[in-house]
Amino acid sequence: MSSTVATPAAEPRTNYLNVDYGWKSWVFSTDHKRIAVMYLITIAFMILVGGSFAILVRLELATPAGDMLQSETYNKIFTMHGVVMVFFFLIPGVPAVLGNFLVPIMIGAKDLAFPKVNLLSYYIFLVGILLTLLAAAMGGIDTGWTFYTPYSSTYSNGQVALAAVAVFITGFSSILTGLNFVVTIHKMRAPGMTWFRLPLFIWAHYATSLIILLSTPVVAITIVLVALERLFHVGVFDPTYGGDPVLFQHMFWFYSHPAVYIMILPAMGVISELISAFSKKRVFGYPVVAFSSLAIAVIGFFVWGHHMFVTGQSTYAGVVFSVITMLVAVPSAIKVFNWVSTMYKGDIWMTTPMCFAIAFIGLFTVGGLTGIFLGTMGLDIHMHDTYFVVAHFHYVMVGGMVTAFWGGLHFWWPKMFGRMYPENMGRVSAAIIFIGFNMTFFPQFILGYMGMPRRYHFYPEEWQVLNVLSTAGATLLGLGYLLPMVYLPWSLKFGKVAGKNPWAAKGLEWETDSPPTTFNFDKVPVVTEEAYAYPEGARHQPEAKVV
Amino acid sequence: MSSTHPHITPLKVYFLVFATLIAGTWLTYFVAYKDFGWLNTPVAMAIAIVKAGVVVLYFMHVKWQSRLTMMFAAGGFIWLFTLFAFTLQDYFTRSWMPLYQ
């Protein structure tokens, strides 16, 4: 008798992946989850592109002589590495993939507020990528990802205009995603999902979206002004026409410094989720962590001048920017202390995501503290444009954002695709990434402090040992990144089927199916408890830890 | 406050705003030929701000939106102000005496 009754396990429910298989159902989909998957695939491709440029840079720097690439080619390679990684991976990575997938589910909504705008945002992003790759194929650019004038506006012979248009267009993708998140979080929360019941991932995305909305238009108009100057000789940045090159830096960093927080804030949101789930505890000082995201978003707008201490900016303005830079460290430190306090006396389960989360705390702390060095005017004069800066921002962006991205991707992978990844492989990958990362970038702190300038492909022989160490570390790091790119797709077919809540974690996303249905929930969820409402002294089930 | 029904603005309002913008444009042109000394830029900026204000309030319907929308609209201008203010603090202090001599 029982053989005639289809059990739920034998007949998988319709979900967003199996609801339709035609290619049109993907490319015209307005389902936030499918768009997130399209972003994931696109961004994975861009990691490979940006990573290839990084490998070329490190190979060149393995020897003191500039013997592999010509100077001009080297300039183009590191510029393309920066442009691709910053605009097509670091900025959209967490919000466009994990944010797109999870923001509606975590607040109990069916989709984002503007699903068609969400799809439009993806295609704008794609156009930006295609134009950037076209610029690379047509000769590339050699200005550095910062496009500093007057080099970019007057002297560079590369495809600056095309690359600038690409960045300009990509900015709109960012703006539309930010707008979608803000409206969704304000208007589409499930009944009972009050602001102080929101997961910290949502708070982080809300703060990020505010930054995106307020700062991205400025970089767009800055790029338009560069184009106007190149084409019509309108004097804005070029002194020949009565402009000021330092003005470009003001306008550029008004966006690009907050852009650092666009990269790191969503990553911090991910870490809050991971630490809580795998410590089986509510995040320590939840309201303070939530407000620290907003504080970082606001204060982060007033520190941009610390990029300009040695570029002609008034010393008095420098002092103001330096002092405010010290202030932004406070909310960042609050987060770190609160994550550690959350772990204290928690039942820590060292899964792959938790390994990444702990790695994040260490690496981000190093990155943040060295930022204090660079925000101090006197020290910055010594270390400006050296490898110390390169090491610092890689610790924040790669050690921070990328580590959190991997952690988040592993954590929500079972939710996104309904399959578990191989846990031991994940841990191995996390360990390789952590070791490889430190091997790559820690020597660069020393090199920078000794005076090795960035953006040169030859250097005195006495710096070779540290450079070789860095290149060896980069190889290890590359291997660490490639591993998940192999076993995660493998798990789609061969991974163990994940239940609704393989981590026994709290949150609306763990109450719906894995993978979720097209509209996320069968009926609108009603929220009756705070976020991370783990009982006092909660413990992970021993059998769960076997995973 | 916001409602489920979109606000319908009478055509008369649009024509009045259009007339205001044309008048503002004419005024900008007119004052450009007058010398107000140091007030030249503030006068031109004041006219531009009024014109932008009517566009935002009437053409973009912010006048009839919720306070939340108004706050977001205002936020954009406040942030623009901070961009100007913090950039100008550099320009205004460049000629000051250096901190160390």
Side-chain angles (χ1 to χ4, degrees):
Chain A
M1 238 179 89
S2 60
S3 61
T4 57
V5 179
T7 62
E11 197 175 282
R13 287 188 58 185
T14 304
N15 58 56
Y16 82 100
L17 289 171
N18 65 13
V19 67
D20 199 336
Y21 291 99
W23 64 272
K24 282 185 188 168
S25 72
W26 278 90
V27 297
F28 297 122
S29 174
T30 52
D31 182 342
H32 65 103
K33 298 178 290 297
R34 285 194 164 203
I35 295 171
V37 173
M38 291 199 287
Y39 265 117
L40 176 61
I41 295 166
T42 314
I43 282 172
F45 172 71
M46 293 313 280
I47 297 174
L48 292 175
V49 173
S52 310
F53 290 124
I55 287 169
L56 288 174
V57 167
R58 281 318 319 169
L59 280 178
E60 169 62 78
L61 291 173
T63 56
D67 45 13
M68 194 178 90
L69 303 168
Q70 290 182 335
S71 297
E72 265 190 29
T73 317
Y74 181 77
N75 292 348
K76 288 177 179 174
I77 296 292
F78 75 68
T79 299
M80 288 312 297
H81 168 67
V83 168
V84 168
M85 287 305 204
V86 169
F87 295 109
F88 302 108
F89 172 48
L90 294 170
I91 288 178
V94 175
V97 178
L98 299 176
N100 245 325
F101 196 96
L102 292 160
V103 165
I105 302 179
M106 280 183 163
I107 64 170
K110 285 181 181 176
D111 204 316
L112 286 170
F114 308 116
K116 287 179 183 169
V117 170
N118 195 22
L119 184 64
L120 175 67
S121 160
Y122 172 74
Y123 282 110
I124 292 175
F125 182 67
L126 213 53
V127 171
I129 287 177
L130 292 176
L131 289 178
T132 304
L133 295 180
L134 185 66
M138 288 171 67
I141 47 169
D142 60 354
T143 59
W145 78 275
T146 51
F147 296 101
Y148 269 12
T149 57
Y151 185 66
S152 63
S153 59
T154 309
Y155 302 108
S156 174
N157 292 320
Q159 297 292 332
V160 179
L162 191 55
V165 168
V167 171
F168 176 79
I169 289 173
T170 309
F172 285 92
S173 164
S174 229
I175 291 171
L176 294 179
T177 301
L179 179 73
N180 233 333
F181 285 173
V182 167
V183 178
T184 305
I185 294 168
H186 268 284
K187 293 288 183 186
M188 297 178 68
R189 300 192 308 274
M193 180 60 92
T194 58
W195 280 90
F196 286 98
R197 283 179 178 169
L198 285 173
L200 290 164
F201 181 86
I202 300 294
W203 275 100
H205 274 75
Y206 183 75
T208 307
S209 303
L210 293 182
I211 305 177
I212 289 173
L213 289 177
L214 292 168
S215 67
T216 314
V218 177
V219 79
I221 198 72
T222 309
I223 288 169
V224 169
L225 290 174
V226 170
L228 284 177
E229 190 167 271
R230 270 185 89 106
L231 298 173
F232 304 111
H233 305 306
V234 178
V236 184
F237 306 124
D238 188 345
T240 319
Y241 308 116
D244 176 17
V246 178
L247 179 62
F248 174 86
Q249 295 185 29
H250 275 297
M251 296 178 72
F252 177 82
W253 287 113
F254 183 82
Y255 163 77
S256 294
H257 190 77
V260 174
Y261 301 110
I262 296 175
M263 301 171 207
I264 201 70
L265 268 174
M268 289 169 158
V270 169
I271 297 304
S272 294
E273 300 298 319
L274 303 187
I275 296 280
S276 172
F278 295 113
S279 303
K280 213 70 174 165
K281 273 178 71 187
R282 186 172 198 241
V283 172
F284 180 82
Y286 166 97
V288 186
V289 179
F291 280 121
S292 68
S293 291
L294 294 179
I296 289 172
V298 173
I299 302 171
F301 266 102
F302 304 103
V303 301
W304 80 80
H306 67 216
H307 294 270
M308 302 163 58
F309 288 152
V310 298
T311 57
Q313 177 183 245
S314 136
T315 315
Y316 293 93
V319 170
V320 172
F321 282 122
S322 181
V323 169
I324 305 175
T325 302
M326 301 302 137
L327 288 181
V328 83
V330 176
S332 307
I334 285 174
K335 282 186 187 289
V336 171
F337 288 132
N338 285 25
W339 290 324
V340 176
S341 304
T342 305
M343 289 165 66
Y344 180 65
K345 288 192 175 177
D347 183 24
I348 294 173
W349 182 9
M350 288 300 282
T351 59
T352 304
M354 189 59 169
C355 292
F356 278 115
I358 293 173
F360 172 97
I361 295 177
L363 299 178
F364 173 75
T365 303
V366 174
L369 288 175
T370 48
I372 300 287
F373 288 36
L374 294 167
T376 310
M377 288 175 74
L379 270 175
D380 186 64
I381 289 167
H382 173 60
M383 294 189 287
H384 185 87
D385 263 349
T386 67
Y387 260 85
F388 193 93
V389 179
V390 177
H392 154 69
F393 70 70
H394 278 88
Y395 263 83
V396 175
M397 292 179 189
V398 185
M401 180 273 168
V402 182
T403 306
F405 176 77
W406 284 123
L409 193 62
H410 282 81
F411 182 52
W412 284 294
W413 188 261
K415 180 55 59 185
M416 293 171 83
F417 300 105
R419 299 275 180 165
M420 298 302 292
Y421 58 86
E423 187 60 48
N424 284 334
M425 288 295 285
R427 290 189 185 117
V428 168
S429 154
I432 292 177
I433 288 174
F434 184 75
I435 295 167
F437 178 85
N438 281 298
M439 225 170 114
T440 309
F441 293 106
F442 200 84
Q444 295 183 9
F445 279 128
I446 304 168
L447 285 166
Y449 200 78
M450 291 197 299
M452 179 169 168
R454 60 193 289 203
R455 296 178 172 151
Y456 287 85
H457 68 133
F458 41 81
Y459 53 84
E461 282 184 10
E462 57 264 34
W463 290 338
Q464 186 171 13
V465 172
L466 288 169
N467 269 295
V468 168
L469 196 60
S470 183
T471 299
T475 315
L476 206 56
L477 186 59
L479 176 70
Y481 286 153
L482 280 177
L483 268 178
M485 290 196 181
V486 174
Y487 67 71
L488 287 179
W490 174 89
S491 75
L492 293 176
K493 189 166 171 62
F494 303 105
K496 205 178 103 189
V497 174
K500 274 187 179 182
N501 191 358
W503 312 118
K506 291 282 184 181
L508 286 181
E509 79 269 32
W510 302 112
E511 291 176 17
T512 187
D513 293 343
S514 303
T517 58
T518 301
F519 294 113
N520 302 335
F521 301 95
D522 292 335
K523 56 181 183 180
V524 178
V526 177
V527 181
T528 55
E529 58 183 15
E530 62 186 12
Y532 322 111
Y534 296 102
E536 192 75 27
R539 288 282 180 267
H540 294 289
Q541 294 299 316
E543 63 270 20
K545 285 193 175 183
V546 176
V547 172
Chain B
M1 294 296 287
S2 64
S3 69
T4 49
H5 302 291
H7 178 83
I8 308 290
T9 313
L11 272 180
K12 195 174 121 185
V13 173
Y14 285 127
F15 283 121
L16 268 175
V17 172
F18 179 69
T20 310
L21 293 176
I22 294 294
T25 307
W26 178 83
L27 197 62
T28 309
Y29 171 79
F30 178 75
V31 299
Y33 284 94
K34 304 285 175 193
D35 187 10
F36 299 106
W38 66 273
L39 281 172
N40 279 337
T41 304
V43 167
M45 288 301 290
I47 299 168
I49 288 169
V50 171
K51 285 167 70 181
V54 293
V55 168
V56 170
L57 288 174
Y58 294 95
F59 278 173
M60 297 173 79
H61 286 215
V62 169
K63 187 175 161 52
W64 298 285
Q65 298 303 312
S66 66
R67 288 187 180 191
L68 183 66
T69 308
M70 286 181 183
M71 199 176 80
F72 268 86
F77 288 101
I78 293 167
W79 250 251
L80 185 66
F81 174 76
T82 64
L83 168 66
F84 288 158
F86 274 71
T87 302
L88 289 175
Q89 66 153 344
D90 168 24
Y91 286 90
F92 288 161
T93 56
R94 275 190 198 173
S95 58
W96 287 13
M97 294 286 284
L99 283 172
Y100 303 103
Q101 281 191 311

